[in-house]
Amino acid sequence: MEVPTQTAEIFKILSKGQFINSNSSDKRISDLYKVIEDEQNFENLYDYFLNIHFVLEKGNEYFYFSRPENKADLEKKIETAFKWIDIVDFLKTFRNDFSSGVRFDISDIIQKMKTDADLEIKLEALKKYADKTSQREILERILKILTDDSFIEMENPITQQYKVLASFNYLEQLILTINIPEDIRNEIPE
C-alpha cells in the first residue's frame, strides 16, 4: 500500500478534529484536499488510517476523521452537538443563507443585532460557550471556536472578513439528521 508523501501532514490536521476543505483559501489545505480526493490515494489513506483506529470520512467537499466511541465519548459528543446546534441556529438567524462560501465580518452581525432582537437573544444564550460578557467578545470567541474547528476561516485579517468553509455542511447535516417523531413533538417545551 503506497500512501502519499503528505500523509503525516494530513494526519496532523485531521487528528485534531479539523477538516480538510476543498474551498479553503489556504493553498496548503486545498492542495491536501486534492491529494486525498484522488481515488487511489483515498483508498490507501483509508486503509492506512483504519489500522490506527481512525476512519477517513468524505463529506461534500471536505474530509475528516471519525472514530468508534464508548459511552463516555458518546455523552461528550451529544454535549458538543448541543453547542453546534445553538451556534448554527444563531448563524442561520443572522443569515438564512449562511453556508459554504458565504463571507461576513463581526460588524455585519453586530449591525444586524441592532434591528433583530431574536438574534441578540440567541447571542446571549451563546455566553455559556464563550465565558465572555460583551457582545463583541462573545462573537469573537464563537468565531474562534468555528475557526479552530475549521468550519470558517479568516479570509482577510485587515477587514476581519471570514469565509464559511465546505465543512460547515457537516454541521448542517448533523442537525438535519436529528429526527423527532411526530407523536412526541408536542411534548418538547419551546
Side-chain angles (χ1 to χ4, degrees):
M1 165 177 45
E2 184 74 26
V3 294
T5 57
Q6 301 89 341
T7 300
E9 190 175 6
I10 291 167
F11 181 79
K12 184 177 178 181
I13 294 167
L14 297 180
S15 65
K16 292 178 185 174
Q18 296 180 334
F19 294 78
I20 294 179
N21 292 282
S22 66
N23 69 337
S24 177
S25 300
D26 184 336
K27 183 165 173 29
R28 177 181 64 96
I29 299 295
S30 57
D31 286 347
L32 288 176
Y33 177 86
K34 290 174 188 168
V35 169
I36 303 170
E37 185 180 39
D38 176 87
E39 190 174 327
Q40 188 60 51
N41 284 343
F42 178 81
E43 289 176 15
N44 290 343
L45 288 167
Y46 181 89
D47 292 339
Y48 180 81
F49 292 132
L50 195 57
N51 287 325
I52 54 173
H53 303 289
F54 285 91
V55 180
L56 180 61
E57 303 275 1
K58 179 176 176 46
N60 185 15
E61 300 292 314
Y62 59 90
F63 293 100
Y64 65 100
F65 276 156
S66 67
R67 293 179 69 159
E69 67 272 331
N70 59 37
K71 277 191 175 185
D73 291 339
L74 188 56
E75 287 177 20
K76 183 156 176 53
K77 280 188 172 187
I78 290 170
E79 288 174 17
T80 303
F82 282 135
K83 175 180 78 173
W84 289 125
I85 290 168
D86 289 343
I87 291 172
V88 170
D89 182 42
F90 172 77
L91 295 170
K92 291 287 188 176
T93 301
F94 162 58
R95 282 185 62 171
N96 61 358
D97 68 339
F98 196 95
S99 66
S100 179
V102 167
R103 288 169 171 80
F104 68 97
D105 58 53
I106 289 178
S107 63
D108 294 336
I109 299 172
I110 291 172
Q111 191 63 36
K112 177 132 188 214
M113 279 193 304
K114 291 178 181 177
T115 60
D116 188 338
D118 195 30
L119 188 62
E120 193 170 2
I121 291 167
K122 290 181 184 209
L123 179 67
E124 186 69 24
L126 294 178
K127 262 187 183 179
K128 61 187 168 203
Y129 307 119
D131 291 332
K132 305 290 180 187
T133 54
S134 80
Q135 289 181 337
R136 180 170 279 284
E137 288 175 327
I138 296 167
L139 279 172
E140 287 171 350
R141 179 65 183 126
I142 295 302
L143 295 179
K144 181 172 179 0
I145 290 169
L146 287 161
T147 302
D148 290 348
D149 288 343
S150 63
F151 293 116
I152 65 172
E153 68 184 9
M154 186 174 288
E155 192 172 48
N156 185 335
I158 296 167
T159 63
Q160 295 213 327
Q161 182 178 34
Y162 290 87
K163 175 183 177 183
V164 181
L165 299 173
S167 55
F168 189 79
N169 182 257
Y170 175 86
L171 295 177
E172 293 173 308
Q173 292 304 311
L174 169 78
I175 293 167
L176 288 175
T177 59
I178 298 171
N179 182 24
I180 300 173
E182 192 66 39
D183 58 334
I184 66 165
R185 247 178 231 196
N186 295 332
E187 296 175 21
I188 300 173
E190 295 278 328

